[in-house]
Amino acid sequence: MKFDKELVEGDDFYYNELGYKVFTERYHLKRGYCCKSGCKHCPYGYDKKTDSFKKIEKKPHKS
């Protein structure tokens, strides 16, 4: 990844109880595409079990 050095712990990732780095939704959106790895916080709706994208309903803006 080209911006690994710019990652901010707590914003872009956190470490889980096993010590693995878990990327946040913010990180995925910053990266700009889905890697199809079945990430825990995938904002793109990818389902690794079905190898498909779920339709994501956008939240309406409050005026």
Side-chain angles (χ1 to χ4, degrees), residues 18-43:
L18 298 175
Y20 292 103
K21 188 182 283 187
V22 180
F23 293 108
T24 63
E25 180 178 5
R26 176 183 175 199
Y27 169 80
H28 292 292
L29 291 171
K30 186 169 137 180
R31 183 176 62 190
Y33 64 91
C34 179
C35 62
K36 293 187 175 182
S37 294
C39 299
K40 182 174 184 174
H41 300 291
C42 179

Side-chain angles (χ1 to χ4, degrees), residues 11-61:
D11 287 336
D12 296 314
F13 72 95
Y14 61 89
Y15 291 100
N16 69 10
E17 60 280 349
L18 298 175
Y20 292 103
K21 188 182 283 187
V22 180
F23 293 108
T24 63
E25 180 178 5
R26 176 183 175 199
Y27 169 80
H28 292 292
L29 291 171
K30 186 169 137 180
R31 183 176 62 190
Y33 64 91
C34 179
C35 62
K36 293 187 175 182
S37 294
C39 299
K40 182 174 184 174
H41 300 291
C42 179
Y44 302 105
Y46 181 72
D47 184 343
K48 192 172 183 174
K49 293 178 185 175
T50 62
D51 190 28
S52 64
F53 290 90
K54 300 175 193 172
K55 184 174 182 179
I56 299 174
E57 294 183 30
K58 294 184 179 181
K59 297 177 186 176
H61 291 299

